[in-house]
Amino acid sequence: MSIIASNFKTNHTRESTSFFVKEVNDFLVSNKISDDVYIFPTSTSLDSFDTVSNLTMGAQNAYATVKGSFTGEIGTEQLDEFGIKTILIGHSERRHVLGESQEEIAKKFAFYKELGYKIIYCIGEPLEVKESGLEQTLEYIYEQFAGIDTNYENLILAYEPVWAIGTGVTATNDDIRIIHSTLKSQIDKPLLYGGSVKVANVREICELDGVDGALIGTASWNIEDFKQIIENTKDL
Ligand code: PGA
């Protein structure tokens, strides 16, 4: 059984999100698919969706607070309104585009862990680190675990090399195998791969040893493609 997650990033509206969620839900039901599927819409598109138990809605981000004065952020008061208990933490765009530090990320992790949220925690190295070698790459990735409780029971990890995200350049099977087997030997948690996963390569990637599923951006935003992705991995 694979874990398939769609990260909408800054895409889709309330209306198109609602259509998308219903389509995915109906697809899972009518094909009796037991994959664990996650959808992370924009925070303006969160809602109380009626879904089967293996389709979970999550937040792409939230602040480490119940409520308060944090302009532009949301807290658990807003997530509770829709029964959201799943969150992405440490995504590369939050680290490298929005400038979240490891310290802030660890604080956010601890806050949501305390509340029992399911956390999909992302790690991954930029191109210059990859080019400096495997040892440096692993060292960089391990630093992204600073302050993170990797024994947390509700934790899923996602290895997403920064150079593969949104670039169309997927990591090679060897790249994925080596990082996944190393991480798996040290942290016994489900581990997804992310970074230019597509309809055409999702099965091959999810079949690799040490890969428990995929976290997908671009290729997941089209409903027909996302259904095909689920179809292609449903028996793994
Ligand atoms: P991508 O994004 O599939 O567009 O490469 C993956 C991600 O950022 O989770």
Side-chain angles (χ1 to χ4, degrees):
M1 194 193 69
S2 299
I3 300 169
I4 300 293
S6 167
N7 175 6
F8 275 14
K9 307 190 178 183
T10 323
N11 297 281
H12 281 296
T13 59
R14 280 184 80 70
E15 196 180 346
S16 64
T17 299
S18 156
F19 173 78
F20 189 102
V21 173
K22 190 171 179 318
E23 285 278 309
V24 173
N25 191 67
D26 292 352
F27 185 74
L28 294 176
V29 172
S30 52
N31 294 286
K32 297 191 175 61
I33 293 174
S34 58
D35 273 3
D36 272 333
V37 177
Y38 292 85
I39 300 173
F40 294 88
T42 66
S43 36
T44 59
S45 304
L46 292 174
D47 213 333
S48 302
F49 296 104
D50 188 17
T51 61
V52 276
S53 60
N54 58 318
L55 173 56
T56 304
M57 303 300 299
Q60 291 177 26
N61 178 49
Y63 204 68
T65 191
V66 173
K67 59 182 185 172
S69 299
F70 305 100
T71 302
E73 297 283 339
I74 59 170
T76 55
E77 188 174 81
Q78 289 75 38
L79 296 175
D80 285 348
E81 188 177 12
F82 305 119
I84 304 292
K85 283 283 176 199
T86 301
I87 187 167
L88 269 185
I89 296 182
H91 188 275
S92 136
E93 283 145 20
R94 297 224 47 97
R95 292 178 189 271
H96 303 290
V97 182
L98 285 313
E100 259 181 46
S101 67
Q102 185 60 32
E103 201 182 329
E104 288 165 324
I105 290 167
K107 199 172 143 201
K108 190 175 289 189
F109 187 101
F111 180 83
Y112 283 94
K113 175 193 143 189
E114 186 64 31
L115 294 173
Y117 275 61
K118 171 148 285 175
I119 298 175
I120 299 193
Y121 185 70
C122 308
I123 64 251
E125 81 290 355
L127 186 59
E128 66 271 18
V129 174
K130 177 189 166 41
E131 284 174 344
S132 59
L134 180 61
E135 203 177 310
Q136 284 81 351
T137 299
L138 288 168
E139 207 171 287
Y140 185 94
I141 291 171
Y142 287 136
E143 280 168 17
Q144 295 180 320
F145 285 112
I148 302 299
D149 175 7
T150 53
N151 291 316
Y152 176 47
E153 57 183 7
N154 250 337
L155 174 62
I156 295 176
L157 299 174
Y159 169 58
E160 299 203 301
V162 180
W163 46 272
I165 295 178
T167 58
V169 182
T170 319
T172 64
N173 291 350
D174 280 345
D175 284 333
I176 299 173
R177 227 184 266 117
I178 215 155
I179 301 291
H180 276 240
S181 63
T182 311
L183 287 176
K184 281 286 219 185
S185 69
Q186 321 214 353
I187 306 172
D188 184 21
K189 292 292 167 189
L191 177 56
L192 315 182
Y193 168 78
S196 297
V197 174
K198 305 165 193 143
V199 170
N201 63 15
V202 67
R203 185 177 174 85
E204 182 184 339
I205 291 170
C206 289
E207 271 176 339
L208 296 172
D209 270 354
V211 177
D212 299 300
L215 175 55
I216 310 159
T218 317
S220 72
W221 302 333
N222 174 288
I223 183 62
E224 294 310 319
D225 288 349
F226 192 55
K227 285 196 274 191
Q228 193 61 50
I229 284 170
I230 295 169
E231 176 69 27
N232 291 357
T233 50
K234 68 179 183 190
D235 59 327
L236 295 179

